[in-house]
Amino acid sequence: MDELKKLLLGRGMSRLEQDAVWRELVVRARRDGPAWVIACVGLAMPGLRRAVRRVGSDWASPTVDLHAEVLEGFLTQLKRVDLDDDRIVGKLVDAGTRRARKARDADADASAIRVNRPWSRAPLNPWDHPDWVLARAFAAGVIDSEEHQLIGRTRLEGHTVATVAAELGISAAVAGDWRRKAQLKLADAIRAGELDHVRLDATLVRRRKRLRELLGVVPVAA
């Protein structure tokens, strides 16, 4: 696969030859399952990264996972692309781009507030409210529920460490050390951008399940 990737990205392979290769890859993904689906994703990764950069240049949503949308569009099109057509990989990547743009526009429409008086709306990344940052960190698995409670109640709600420690059934010293370590994890996740596009509802779970299904089962086209 590494050698094939070099050939596909090189200048020596014609468009007709690239299409022939991608026809074979798509057939194998549909027929032979997950290993070939993942191979298709890996070989198309340069194009998928470009798609993410194109759509992400004006991406403002803190709740829609850009990378997941691009990947889902690509994987869905893997089942549908017409193998008699040309520019096969381009059409797969374009499907990912369209999916992400559609999700971005839908999220923008849902976030728009139309009232006849001044009103507030959800702040966009990176100016999120601390409550939302904590919620996304919990949703992403960066902190657990007890760490969320410990940081939120002491840092945001004004309760003492001793009070929250008693609620959790631990000593104040243990709670203080626990909070310090949780805050370091949270800070690392924020700096790494891990919380930029985390959904706070069941949609995230559904999307991850959908991506696993697409990576694991791509049925043969009728």
Side-chain angles (χ1 to χ4, degrees):
M1 283 300 162
D2 289 339
E3 185 64 23
L4 180 57
K5 187 173 184 177
K6 291 177 183 177
L7 290 172
L8 287 169
L9 294 177
R11 297 180 180 272
M13 186 174 285
S14 69
R15 175 66 65 185
L16 289 176
E17 290 170 328
Q18 290 182 16
D19 282 338
V21 170
W22 272 99
R23 285 189 188 96
E24 180 65 20
L25 288 168
V26 173
V27 167
R28 294 192 182 203
R30 292 173 176 177
R31 183 189 65 203
D32 299 331
W36 286 98
V37 175
I38 294 171
C40 288
V41 173
L43 291 170
M45 191 55 67
L48 292 172
R49 289 198 181 104
R50 287 193 296 272
V52 167
R53 288 196 295 269
R54 283 197 301 269
V55 183
S57 61
D58 58 350
W59 193 271
S61 172
T63 60
V64 177
D65 189 332
L66 168 59
H67 296 80
E69 294 291 347
V70 170
L71 181 57
E72 183 166 350
F74 175 91
L75 293 172
T76 300
Q77 189 65 14
L78 194 62
K79 298 186 297 181
R80 302 173 178 173
V81 67
D82 185 351
L83 297 183
D84 292 328
D85 208 343
D86 59 0
R87 196 177 160 271
I88 292 175
V89 67
K91 289 179 169 60
L92 295 173
V93 173
D94 288 348
T97 302
R98 289 194 301 273
R99 171 95 187 186
R101 285 175 174 160
K102 183 177 179 181
R104 177 195 61 192
D105 295 344
D107 183 71
D109 289 343
S111 298
I113 298 175
R114 300 177 177 84
V115 292
N116 294 322
R117 59 187 177 84
W119 195 259
S120 62
R121 60 170 293 170
L124 300 177
N125 179 63
W127 301 281
D128 285 354
H129 190 283
D131 283 337
W132 293 2
V133 175
L134 281 181
R136 291 210 304 278
F138 175 64
V142 174
I143 58 175
D144 60 28
S145 59
E146 288 81 8
E147 290 168 333
H148 180 283
Q149 178 181 353
L150 187 57
I151 296 173
R153 285 178 58 73
T154 60
R155 294 302 192 190
L156 303 181
E157 298 177 15
H159 297 280
T160 65
V161 172
T163 298
V164 181
E167 295 174 356
L168 295 173
I170 58 177
S171 69
V174 170
D177 186 57
W178 192 358
R179 182 182 66 171
R180 180 184 63 81
K181 292 178 180 177
Q183 289 173 164
L184 289 174
K185 290 192 297 182
L186 181 61
D188 287 343
I190 292 171
R191 281 192 294 268
E194 295 176 12
L195 308 183
D196 290 352
H197 303 298
V198 178
R199 294 192 70 89
L200 303 184
D201 54 33
T203 304
L204 177 63
V205 177
R206 292 195 298 270
R207 176 164 290 109
R208 286 176 177 169
K209 180 179 179 182
R210 171 63 173 162
L211 288 176
R212 286 195 297 270
E213 290 173 348
L214 288 170
L215 284 168
V217 180
V218 180
V220 177

